Amino acid sequence: MRIEVHRTGGFAGIERRAEVDTAGRPDAEEWAALAERALSTAPGGPGGTSGAVGVPDGFSYRITVDGRTVRCADPHLTEAQRQLVSRVLKEGA
């Protein structure tokens, strides 16, 4: 499974991208479950926009999992989206 996060906005307007390929990872099932929750909890399901209108100087995110994309913005991320974004930006390349 390939998970990509693209973050834009914030006070400085700096973009950040990271991706994780879970193939061969011992925690691949954990990543898959978290990614599925992050996509399915967006209003309208995968492809939907969760809180598309954010706050001034907040971050906006595009989460893509194997070609399925959800867009969301601070402070309206679900807990699953927040966890996934954090992990991908921390562990991804």
Side-chain angles (χ1 to χ4, degrees):
M1 172 178 285
R2 186 173 153 184
I3 306 167
E4 180 181 349
V5 171
H6 180 212
R7 182 183 76 185
T8 58
F11 182 72
I14 298 172
E15 290 188 33
R16 184 158 176 219
R17 294 174 193 247
E19 102 178 31
V20 171
D21 186 349
T22 65
R25 289 181 62 123
D27 58 352
E29 287 183 27
E30 181 182 328
W31 279 95
L34 181 57
E36 189 57 40
R37 285 194 318 273
L39 291 179
S40 66
T41 56
T49 54
S50 169
V53 178
V55 296
D57 295 326
F59 290 114
S60 296
Y61 303 91
R62 184 178 67 227
I63 304 168
T64 304
V65 179
D66 288 340
R68 297 166 46 202
T69 300
V70 168
R71 297 183 193 310
C72 45
D74 283 334
H76 307 292
L77 278 73
T78 66
E79 186 57 32
Q81 290 167 343
R82 192 170 308 284
Q83 288 176 8
L84 185 63
V85 164
S86 177
R87 283 187 70 180
V88 171
L89 291 178
K90 180 180 177 185
E91 297 182 37

